[in-house]
Amino acid sequence: MLTAVRKLQSASELLTVLHPDFLLLCLLAKCYKTGLCILEDDIFEVDQPRDFFLYCYYGGMICIGQKRFRKALELLHNVVTAPMSTINAIAVEAYKKYILVSLIHNGQFSTTFPKYTSSVAQRNLKNFSQPYLDLANSYSSGKISEPEKCIQTNREKFEADKNLGLVKQVVSSMYKRNIQRLTQTYLTLSLQDIANTVQLNSPKEAEMHVLQMIQDGEIFATINQKDGMVRFQEDPEQYKTCEMIEHIDSSIQRIMALSKKLTTMDELISCDPLYLAKAGRERQRFDFDDYDTVPQKFNI
């Protein structure tokens, strides 16, 4: 199917009708890495809005499966903020996952929509996602017991939405956030103290969390197995290696290409007859700034 997707594409920036089907197939087969290959493309041309909604939603789920939460947030954000005349089920489900992934990746969630979000989405999405908003509010307390209580209350709803696994990751991320806060205060801390502070059951459990965070690059620390002490360290990255310079350069090149593309699209839209007609209808009938002020009296 991937071959068919590439055959249908006249350019990598074109979204075809097969994109969503291919991503859904990857989800059902749990071949998440295979789906990532088409998610790296920057999409600028869309024929059917439904294809775009499904592409971003399925893509977000694939990125969640690969723990690529930043990319998942980007794709789910596209669904939530995309133009829509009526609310749809895809946007509702995307918004629920958007809340959860925001908590996991950013440690917080803002209920304020961006200005470019459609009025339909702003009015309706929250009404379908109250248990998730309650979870976000309990998360902000910083106490593990609060989100756990919320999860217990809304467990059936989370299970029905098939989001319970992601909800459990929200709780796990809260432990990580609390450990990260400790790195801002302490240089050295025992595993027992970490377990007590972040409300873990044992020093062994605290050790597992710390080791996983070190492996994921979320904190920089070393563990002394003899005395059970954790020493927190600064980020060792000096941002001057060849690999880092190449990464920064490629990011700059991509941003420049995107900027050029946006400028071109802006010029095309500004000349589009449909856009000009709509903009003309929305302007005031008379714009008095276009006329010189007529004097009240004439001096003869």
Side-chain angles (χ1 to χ4, degrees):
M1 185 174 281
L2 178 59
T3 303
V5 169
R6 297 306 186 193
K7 290 287 185 180
L8 283 177
Q9 279 184 307
S10 57
S12 62
E13 59 191 34
L14 174 65
L15 183 70
T16 71
V17 294
L18 287 183
H19 273 77
D21 293 337
F22 173 72
L23 292 177
L24 177 58
L25 183 61
C26 292
L27 279 171
L28 295 175
K30 295 184 178 180
C31 298
Y32 303 137
K33 288 185 178 180
T34 306
L36 289 175
C37 64
I38 67 171
L39 292 174
E40 298 300 328
D41 298 333
D42 293 316
I43 300 297
F44 294 104
E45 297 182 28
V46 180
D47 288 331
Q48 297 297 325
R50 183 177 179 275
D51 293 336
F52 178 75
F53 278 96
L54 288 174
Y55 167 79
C56 291
Y57 179 65
Y58 292 150
M61 292 178 67
I62 284 176
C63 290
I64 289 171
Q66 286 293 101
K67 307 291 185 183
R68 296 184 58 176
F69 294 117
R70 176 175 295 186
K71 182 66 176 179
L73 267 181
E74 176 189 327
L75 291 166
L76 295 173
H77 176 88
N78 290 341
V79 180
V80 173
T81 60
M84 61 184 83
S85 56
T86 57
I87 199 69
N88 61 76
I90 306 171
V92 171
E93 295 306 312
Y95 187 62
K96 294 173 182 177
K97 287 181 171 59
Y98 182 69
I99 295 172
L100 298 177
V101 177
S102 294
L103 294 175
I104 294 171
H105 184 67
N106 297 325
Q108 60 184 355
F109 175 75
S110 174
T111 56
T112 304
F113 289 95
K115 292 182 178 180
Y116 47 83
T117 309
S118 69
S119 58
V120 172
Q122 295 188 48
R123 287 196 307 267
N124 295 286
L125 284 179
K126 293 180 183 179
N127 299 333
F128 294 96
S129 312
Q130 194 56 51
Y132 297 86
L133 295 172
D134 292 341
L135 179 61
N137 290 332
S138 64
Y139 190 98
S140 62
S141 68
K143 299 178 181 179
I144 297 293
S145 58
E146 293 298 319
E148 287 182 339
K149 187 186 302 181
C150 180
I151 292 170
Q152 193 64 32
T153 303
N154 300 290
R155 186 181 184 89
E156 291 184 2
K157 175 63 176 174
F158 294 142
E159 285 182 337
D161 292 339
K162 297 183 179 180
N163 285 329
L164 186 59
L166 200 56
V167 167
K168 290 179 179 179
Q169 291 186 57
V170 170
V171 176
S172 179
S173 72
M174 195 169 188
Y175 289 116
K176 293 182 179 182
R177 296 291 170 187
N178 290 338
I179 292 174
Q180 285 177 330
R181 291 191 187 100
L182 295 178
T183 66
Q184 301 171 5
T185 307
Y186 302 96
L187 290 175
T188 305
L189 205 60
S190 69
L191 289 170
Q192 182 64 61
D193 289 336
I194 292 175
N196 293 339
T197 304
V198 304
Q199 304 171 51
L200 289 167
N201 296 324
S202 66
K204 186 65 177 176
E205 195 172 343
E207 181 181 4
M208 296 301 295
H209 274 84
V210 171
L211 285 173
Q212 187 62 52
M213 293 178 72
I214 293 173
Q215 182 178 342
D216 294 340
E218 296 173 329
I219 62 171
F220 303 96
T222 56
I223 301 177
N224 190 324
Q225 297 290 345
K226 292 182 179 180
D227 55 12
M229 299 298 292
V230 179
R231 181 177 178 81
F232 300 115
Q233 302 169 341
E234 297 292 333
D235 184 354
E237 179 60 63
Q238 298 297 314
Y239 298 97
K240 59 183 181 182
T241 61
C242 293
E243 292 80 4
M244 180 55 66
I245 292 173
E246 289 177 1
H247 175 71
I248 293 173
D249 181 66
S250 64
S251 297
I252 292 173
Q253 295 298 326
R254 181 172 180 269
I255 291 170
M256 291 174 63
L258 286 173
S259 177
K260 185 177 180 180
K261 185 68 177 179
L262 286 172
T263 301
T264 303
M265 292 176 67
D266 183 64
E267 291 174 352
L268 290 173
I269 291 173
S270 64
C271 298
D272 186 83
L274 293 175
Y275 169 77
L276 293 174
K278 182 177 176 61
R281 288 194 300 269
E282 292 178 352
R283 288 187 59 184
Q284 294 182 356
R285 187 176 180 183
F286 297 104
D287 190 350
F288 291 104
D289 292 336
D290 292 340
Y291 301 94
D292 293 330
T293 303
V294 179
Q296 295 290 328
K297 296 181 180 179
F298 291 93
N299 294 324
I300 299 176

